[in-house]
């Protein structure tokens, strides 16, 4: 057989549906394998620490007796 006799055989093999389906499946499998090998998980973003805001101290209540003002003692 010479080279011209191989061309119809090669054409028949490459156009066979089983060969095409197998080639596509092999390509998809290799693509998935490459994805798995190159896959890197994204690093977790550091969460900001929750700062607990201390409640403002309540204003000190002064009693009327201790302050001397508005006691109504008749000091005019």
């Amino acid at each position: 057989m010479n080279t011209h006799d191989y061309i119809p055989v090669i054409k028949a093999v490459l156009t066979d549906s089983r060969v095409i389906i197998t080639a596509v499946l092999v390509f998809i499998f290799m693509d998935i394998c490459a994805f798995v090998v190159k896959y890197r998980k994204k690093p977790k973003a550091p969460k900001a620490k929750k700062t607990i805001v201390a409640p403002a101290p309540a204003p000190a209540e002064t009693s009327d007796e201790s302050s001397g003002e508005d006691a109504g003692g008749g000091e005019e």
Side-chain angles (χ1 to χ4, degrees), residues 6-67:
Y6 287 121
I7 291 176
V9 174
I10 293 172
K11 185 178 177 184
V13 168
L14 292 178
T15 57
D16 187 26
S17 63
R18 293 174 290 181
V19 174
I20 294 171
I21 292 171
T22 304
V24 169
L25 291 177
V26 167
F27 178 76
I28 292 172
F29 178 74
M30 290 179 68
D31 193 37
I32 292 172
C33 289
F35 173 77
V36 169
V37 168
K38 293 180 182 180
Y39 180 75
R40 296 281 184 248
K41 227 180 200 184
K42 290 182 182 179
K44 290 184 178 179
K47 293 183 179 178
K49 292 183 179 179
K50 294 182 181 178
T51 55
I52 300 173
V53 179
E61 294 184 22
T62 57
S63 64
D64 291 338
E65 296 173 25
S66 65
S67 67

